[in-house]
Amino acid sequence: MTRRTFLGMPATAPPGVGHLRGAESFPAAARRGLADPQLRRNLRHATTTIRAKSGGVIAELPDWEQLRAAGAAIKADTLARLPELLEQLEARVTEAGGVVHWAADAVEANRIVTDLVRATGVDRVIKVKSMATQEIGLNEALVAAGITPVETDLAELIVQLGGDRPSHILVPAIHRNRAEIREIFLREMPGVDPTLTDDPTALAAAARRFLRQTFLSTPVAVSGGNFAVAETGTLAVVESEGNGRMCLTLPQTLITVLGVEKVVPTWRDLEVFLQLLPRASTGERMNPYTSMWTGVTPGDGPQAFHLVLLDNGRSAVLADEVGRQALRCIRCSACLNVCPVYERAGGHAYGSVYPGPIGAVLSPQLTGIEDNASLPYASTLCGACYDACPVKINIPELLVHLRAEAVESHRRPTAESIAMAAAAYAMDHPRLYAAGQRAARLSRFAGRRGRGLPPPLNGWTGSRDLPEPPAQTFRDWWADR
Amino acid sequence: MRIALFVTCLADTMFPQAAIATVRLLERLGHEVAFPQGQTCCGQMHVNTGYQRDAVPLVRRHVDVFDTYDVIVAPSGSCVGSVRHQHAMVARRAGDERLAGRAESVARRTYELSELLVDVLGVTDVGAYYPHRVTYHPTCHSSRMLRVGDRPRRLLSEVRGLTLVELPAADQCCGFGGTFAVKNAETSTAMLADKMRHVLATGADVCAASDASCLMHIGGGLSRLRTGVGVVHLAEILASTEQAATSRAEILGSTEQAATSPAANRPAARP
């Protein structure tokens, strides 16, 4: 599966291509989101709504916890024998008339897809919403090759027309309200009615008119996949709008880019995820459209099917015994919707197509910790994400694990590492520790209630008072009793 | 019962009133409290910031100090969470399987205060008196790492004179998160602002919790805004008695109050 290796270790996603790295650290990028009250309102409204809806339909199921456990177990089993399952998938897809391609990373995957599109002679493709193709920056690669990709998921279309980046896995335009969407449509959508209002039905109708025309005139589609069943070589896409189904059935050629972790062993396993995903994700009992296809069917649907199996750092994640649980992720975005940090900072702060808690653990693993070292710290470890995850990814545990990696990746001591080592030394020597407590007590004479501490501690005192250290520590009180 | 107190470094240094109240409370209930010498810190700050190697001696020290006690209590959901969910992991990562086993054994005997009272000592009415409007913040580590559930509220509901008022969005994190409050100060502040808004909306006199860290954070924010609303540790409420309501010294001995504790500002304010 992994073709390219470096010193025997699986390769991580290459820099310079795709969208897994931000230009800034999380705290710097978060500043913009925090300073935008409209964004904060949009985000709070949307996440609160989805959270309530999801909570309601999850509460209907008496066996939700067992389903979560089953989902986690199936994924763990799949990851434990991933090479074998992928080879089985390849064999079944090939037997069914599809062509399987293996892509070690984003560069290779983009080249494969671009070459396949070029071979058809078209200069435009329709796209089904896909995180994998965003991850590898496929749209940019296609544009560079003179091919126009048209996103057909409504929210993705809004983001694409707005020249914007998605800020949520499930609701990419979560940061936009309907007035902003109307403006984007009026400005960028070909053939749009100039009297368009910001009524949601009118906006949807405008997108529908534009998309219908595009569906009927574009013979090549690119999709991702939610699941791939190894035993039959069947691909599955779940969606809410039906636009994906149009792309999957109308064109002559269908190219699917699939992260290698998306494979499941059998059809019976799908049953578990088709219950978990919609309830955790959109708060629906069942997703409105479930499309499945196996290779090609003569005279019906696409007559050429290509499956691109994408690694792009996944083998590196798999190689980490603690970290590999991030590959269980079914991209439901439940962790984003409950995360207090995501809600305030917004999705763009994570610098990756995978925002929120799962992004904070997945992105640094795919790229290598050095390229996303601030992300594992973008959490208070409150644990809401772990409780919400339908496949029980222990995100807080992973965050702590990756923080240790971030620290160990430093070749030279930092101010923080020196302070931490000194604190640990003092805490391991009770007399020094007590002396430190006395020093803290003396410091209360030094300043006005702990205000105006030097950096980095001014991060605290900018908005909060530190309590004055009390005159007597507990251990002094105890000794005096 | 003989109960070893794990005071936690933050309570020892910044919130001694929470630890002193724990001692007073347990003694009032007829138990013997031991304070094992040599204890310092569980190492959570190091582990949660990524300095797991630095935490290894702290885990070893903690295990050595507490290994001989049958029941250990800490007035902190967060530190008990660290003992229960991190100590063995830190030892294993350092390749010390023996230490990991001993850490697991100590963790099994370590309880957060409300767990100890309800599950081990079988008591919810501790005979406390606290004539204030109180709202309760059920800290993330107490509720999600330890699953203490409604234990603190069951204890509070038996306190005479106390009016418990519902905190909106109670399960939302206050934004502390240890070094998060420094590394991501602006996001932390935004979360704190919402928490304070909810606390103030309740009209409570004080916000109570079972973690000194969250209390320091919320109290620090409320103090900066000069809201007049203070923070108080669950142990302080449970240790309060009718006598103590008129004489703060009864609970706190000679210890001076930290700036953010309401008891300092309004001893016996509402008889």
Side-chain angles (χ1 to χ4, degrees), chain A residues 26-28 30-31 34 40 44 51 322 338-345 374 377-387 397 400-405 407-408 410 414 416-430 433 436-437 440 444 449-452 456-478 480-481, chain B residues 5 7-17 19-20 23-24 27 33-35 37-41 45-55 57-58 61 86 89 93 140-141 144-145 147 172-173 175-192 194-195 197 213 216-217 219-221 223-226 251-260:
Chain A
F26 181 86
R31 197 163 293 142
L34 288 163
R40 296 257 307 266
R44 175 176 301 162
R51 216 154 54 208
V322 181
V338 299
C339 179
V341 174
Y342 173 86
E343 187 180 314
R344 272 79 181 187
S374 68
Y377 293 95
S379 166
T380 62
L381 305 178
C382 83
C385 49
Y386 183 22
D387 280 8
E397 177 190 54
V400 169
H401 172 73
L402 292 171
R403 289 175 187 190
E405 271 201 7
V407 164
E408 282 156 22
H410 293 143
T414 62
E416 183 184 87
S417 75
I418 291 164
M420 284 287 176
Y425 185 83
M427 285 165 173
D428 197 28
H429 295 79
Y433 174 72
Q437 288 181 316
R444 71 200 189 118
R449 307 196 44 192
R451 294 196 194 190
L457 296 175
N458 56 355
W460 175 277
T461 51
S463 56
R464 289 148 286 207
D465 288 338
L466 266 183
E468 281 182 63
Q472 197 180 26
T473 62
F474 173 81
R475 69 189 62 217
D476 290 342
W477 175 84
W478 182 270
D480 287 354
R481 289 184 91 190
Chain B
L5 176 67
V7 70
T8 84
C9 61
L10 192 63
D12 186 8
T13 310
M14 303 300 277
F15 265 76
Q17 66 271 28
I20 293 167
V23 174
R24 299 268 192 216
E27 288 181 349
V33 179
F35 181 62
Q37 295 300 311
Q39 61 170 292
T40 55
C41 167
M45 175 183 75
H46 287 89
V47 176
N48 283 354
T49 315
Y51 294 85
Q52 289 199 22
R53 279 185 208 152
D54 288 324
L58 303 182
R61 164 170 296 279
Q86 295 185 330
M89 179 265 291
R93 196 179 163 113
C140 302
H141 285 180
R144 298 207 185 88
M145 270 175 103
R147 308 280 174 202
Q172 282 254 326
C173 178
F176 174 62
T179 47
F180 177 85
V182 175
K183 282 178 185 282
N184 285 282
E186 288 156 272
T187 308
S188 168
T189 298
M191 292 164 69
L192 174 63
D194 289 336
K195 182 58 73 181
R197 188 164 53 80
S213 49
M216 189 171 82
H217 181 69
S223 159
R224 176 62 58 92
L225 295 183
R226 300 173 189 275
I251 315 169
L252 299 172
S254 58
T255 303
E256 193 176 309
Q257 198 68 29
T260 49

Side-chain angles (χ1 to χ4, degrees), chain A residues 2 72 83 138 222 224 233 242 258 269 275 311 325 337 347 412 418 435 440:
Chain A
T2 310
L138 178 64
V222 177
L258 188 87
D269 302 315
Q275 292 182 74
D311 188 309
Q325 57 181 311
N337 299 330
R412 271 178 288 180
I418 291 164

Side-chain angles (χ1 to χ4, degrees), chain A residues 154-165 172-173 175-190 192-193 196-198 203 206:
Chain A
L154 180 54
E156 289 291 354
L157 179 66
I158 293 165
V159 169
Q160 188 182 33
L161 291 175
D164 201 357
R165 288 178 300 139
H175 56 299
R176 298 291 197 185
N177 61 29
R178 60 195 205 188
E180 294 173 285
I181 293 166
R182 172 180 172 270
E183 282 170 33
I184 293 170
F185 278 12
L186 283 176
R187 202 172 60 231
E188 303 289 342
M189 186 179 279
V192 75
D193 176 2
L196 181 70
T197 68
D198 69 357
L203 293 172

Side-chain angles (χ1 to χ4, degrees), chain A residues 111-390:
Chain A
R111 184 176 50 70
I112 292 168
V113 177
T114 308
D115 287 351
L116 287 170
V117 177
R118 271 200 183 124
T120 66
V122 303
D123 61 0
R124 183 173 67 182
V125 298
I126 45 177
K127 284 193 69 210
V128 184
K129 176 172 166 28
S130 145
M131 295 308 298
T133 62
Q134 282 182 26
E135 172 190 323
I136 60 177
L138 178 64
N139 286 5
E140 289 81 350
L142 289 171
V143 168
I147 301 159
T148 306
V150 181
E151 294 288 350
T152 66
D153 174 87
L154 180 54
E156 289 291 354
L157 179 66
I158 293 165
V159 169
Q160 188 182 33
L161 291 175
D164 201 357
R165 288 178 300 139
S167 66
H168 190 281
I169 290 175
L170 173 73
V171 199
I174 196 170
H175 56 299
R176 298 291 197 185
N177 61 29
R178 60 195 205 188
E180 294 173 285
I181 293 166
R182 172 180 172 270
E183 282 170 33
I184 293 170
F185 278 12
L186 283 176
R187 202 172 60 231
E188 303 289 342
M189 186 179 279
V192 75
D193 176 2
T195 64
L196 181 70
T197 68
D198 69 357
D199 173 44
T201 317
L203 293 172
R208 187 188 182 89
R209 268 190 298 276
F210 167 70
L211 286 173
R212 278 290 154 117
Q213 225 164 26
T214 316
F215 289 139
L216 294 169
S217 58
T218 313
V220 179
V222 177
S223 86
N226 291 94
F227 306 99
V229 184
E231 68 174 351
T232 56
T234 303
L235 273 292
V237 162
V238 299
E239 40 139 3
S240 300
E241 296 169 355
N243 293 341
R245 175 165 294 181
M246 301 287 262
C247 301
L248 296 166
T249 50
L250 285 172
Q252 282 301 298
T253 301
L254 173 60
I255 304 165
T256 298
V257 180
L258 188 87
V260 289
E261 81 282 16
K262 296 277 183 175
V263 65
V264 294
T266 69
W267 272 78
R268 286 194 57 181
D269 302 315
L270 263 188
E271 172 245 359
V272 173
F273 297 109
L274 292 182
Q275 292 182 74
L276 285 171
L277 183 53
R279 286 182 200 256
S281 181
T282 50
E284 291 164 309
R285 296 184 180 90
M286 190 179 171
N287 49 281
Y289 295 87
T290 302
S291 302
M292 296 181 182
W293 68 99
T294 309
V296 294
T297 307
D300 184 20
Q303 296 302 294
F305 171 57
H306 295 273
L307 177 63
V308 182
L309 292 171
L310 174 73
D311 188 309
N312 206 35
R314 285 161 176 76
S315 291
V317 186
L318 191 63
D320 184 330
E321 276 178 40
V322 181
R324 74 172 56 139
Q325 57 181 311
L327 294 180
R328 289 185 209 156
C329 177
I330 54 175
R331 312 285 189 258
C332 74
S333 71
C335 61
L336 279 63
N337 299 330
V338 299
C339 179
V341 174
Y342 173 86
E343 187 180 314
R344 272 79 181 187
H348 292 162
Y350 296 80
S352 160
V353 294
Y354 302 115
I358 188 64
V361 297
L362 188 57
S363 308
Q365 292 200 86
L366 290 172
T367 63
I369 190 74
E370 291 86 354
D371 283 5
N372 271 310
S374 68
L375 286 186
Y377 293 95
S379 166
T380 62
L381 305 178
C382 83
C385 49
Y386 183 22
D387 280 8
C389 179

